[in-house]
Amino acid sequence: MADPALGAVRTMRQHLIVAGTINSVCTGLPGAPKVTALSDGWMMSGPSGASWQCHTVEELWAAVIAGLGGTPQLIRLLGRQEAYAVDPENAGLPSRVAAIGRTLTSTAAAPRPALCAVG
C-alpha cells in the first residue's frame, strides 16, 4: 500500500524510523499505544493488550488519536508533535511523520460548534 509519507517504495528502515518517532512522541502519555515495525506496516499494541495492524502513517496517527481520547490528551500530544517536528535532530522522515500527526491531531482537537435544535 502506498503511503504519502514514505512514497511508493517502502523499506524496513523507514518503518523502524516511523515506529521510533511515534513511540518517542507518545512516551508517557496515558493510553498511548506502542508501535512495532513490520515489513508491510506496523503493529500497534494498546495498554489493554489489544493490538491492530496499520499500513500508513496516517492510520497510525489516527489510531493513536482515537486511543488517547479527550482534548486535554490531544493538546499534550500536539505540543509534543510540534516540538519533535522542529527539532533539527529529527530532520527528514521523523519530522515529516511528526508533522502529519500534528495536522491530524489539530483537526481532532479543534473545538466543534455546538449543535442547535431546530424548532
Side-chain angles (χ1 to χ4, degrees), residues 1-3 6 10-12 15 36-43 53-56 59:
M1 175 179 282
D3 187 323
L6 302 179
R10 298 164 29 153
T11 66
M12 187 63 179
H15 287 191
T36 304
L38 303 174
S39 62
D40 61 343
W42 300 270
M43 183 64 66
Q53 190 170 2
C54 296
H55 299 283
T56 67
E59 284 180 9

Side-chain angles (χ1 to χ4, degrees), residues 9-106:
V9 178
R10 298 164 29 153
T11 66
M12 187 63 179
R13 182 174 185 276
Q14 289 174 317
H15 287 191
L16 290 166
I17 291 169
V18 169
T21 298
I22 293 176
N23 288 332
S24 292
V25 169
C26 294
T27 296
L29 289 175
K34 173 80 172 149
V35 180
T36 304
L38 303 174
S39 62
D40 61 343
W42 300 270
M43 183 64 66
M44 295 188 73
S45 302
S48 67
S51 61
W52 56 101
Q53 190 170 2
C54 296
H55 299 283
T56 67
V57 171
E58 287 185 356
E59 284 180 9
L60 281 167
W61 281 121
V64 168
I65 291 164
L68 292 178
T71 301
Q73 286 290 83
L74 295 180
I75 291 171
R76 286 182 64 198
L77 176 61
L78 188 59
R80 288 172 177 225
Q81 290 164 331
E82 289 172 354
Y84 197 92
V86 299
D87 185 337
E89 291 189 21
N90 300 325
L93 181 56
S95 180
R96 285 196 316 271
V97 170
I100 290 167
R102 186 177 63 224
T103 299
L104 295 171
T105 305
S106 294

